[in-house]
Amino acid sequence: MPVPARPNFFSNGFAAIPFSALLLLVALFGGIVGLGGFTFSYAEGGSYFSDNPEACANCHVMREVYDGWLTGPHKTVAVCNDCHTPHNSLVAKYAVKGLNGFNHSKAFTLNDYPEVIRITPFNREVAQANCIHCHEELVTLVSHPDDRNPTDCLKCHIGVGHGR
């Protein structure tokens, strides 16, 4: 007794789509992948997965802070990610990098960022936690995060990692 053929979802599913619509979908998918790949390559996207500070200087507006870091005291002990991404997990680190990368790309693409770039409140919290993380022994006696007015390292040392 012959076994009835099972319907093939892909051949039956695509057969219902008009050829011109299928061609348009393939062209759209190719355009998105091609344009995305070109943008990722042009912006040296792979470099952002590293801890190399030169990746931060890919963007011309970061040149000044990168040059400041090159001449600053933190150069011998810390790179950009040590101060600007969380230390508690790899997922948190890349989540912050991704969020900041998205925000930077949006700001530079739309050209809607201030002339003097300021740290966001969220990134300030990350940097503050990293100050405490690296300088814990030094600041244990003066840093009280549970106080009404907890110690704010960046209030006095805002430019320390950038050679200011």
Side-chain angles (χ1 to χ4, degrees):
M1 174 183 233
V3 177
R6 293 174 32 189
N8 183 333
F9 171 76
F10 291 104
S11 64
N12 290 343
F14 284 123
I17 300 173
F19 181 72
S20 59
L22 191 60
L23 195 60
L24 183 63
L25 284 174
V26 168
L28 185 63
F29 179 75
I32 290 171
V33 169
L35 190 59
F38 172 77
T39 302
F40 187 80
S41 174
Y42 181 77
E44 301 180 43
S47 67
Y48 295 104
F49 291 101
S50 75
D51 283 330
N52 187 345
E54 290 179 10
C56 297
N58 284 348
C59 178
H60 67 277
V61 297
M62 293 295 181
R63 175 54 63 181
E64 183 182 339
V65 291
Y66 174 73
D67 289 343
W69 171 80
L70 282 174
T71 59
H74 275 81
K75 180 185 177 219
T76 58
V77 293
V79 294
C80 306
N81 286 327
D82 290 322
C83 298
H84 295 284
T85 61
H87 288 235
N88 55 355
S89 82
L90 206 55
V91 172
K93 174 181 178 177
Y94 282 99
V96 169
K97 285 181 79 137
L99 177 65
N100 285 334
F102 173 79
N103 288 334
H104 292 175
S105 297
K106 182 180 120 313
F108 301 142
T109 300
L110 300 176
N111 199 26
D112 68 347
Y113 57 91
E115 184 65 32
V116 178
I117 297 175
R118 300 278 182 216
I119 193 167
T120 64
F122 172 74
N123 287 314
R124 188 180 180 95
E125 286 182 29
V126 170
Q128 171 69 23
N130 291 334
C131 292
I132 302 293
H133 176 82
C134 292
H135 300 284
E136 188 173 8
E137 284 184 32
L138 183 67
V139 298
T140 297
L141 297 175
V142 294
S143 177
H144 304 283
D146 297 331
D147 281 353
R148 183 181 296 174
N149 295 314
T151 304
D152 183 355
C153 303
L154 300 177
K155 188 173 182 178
C156 298
H157 305 283
I158 188 74
V160 71
H162 303 140
R164 295 181 194 150

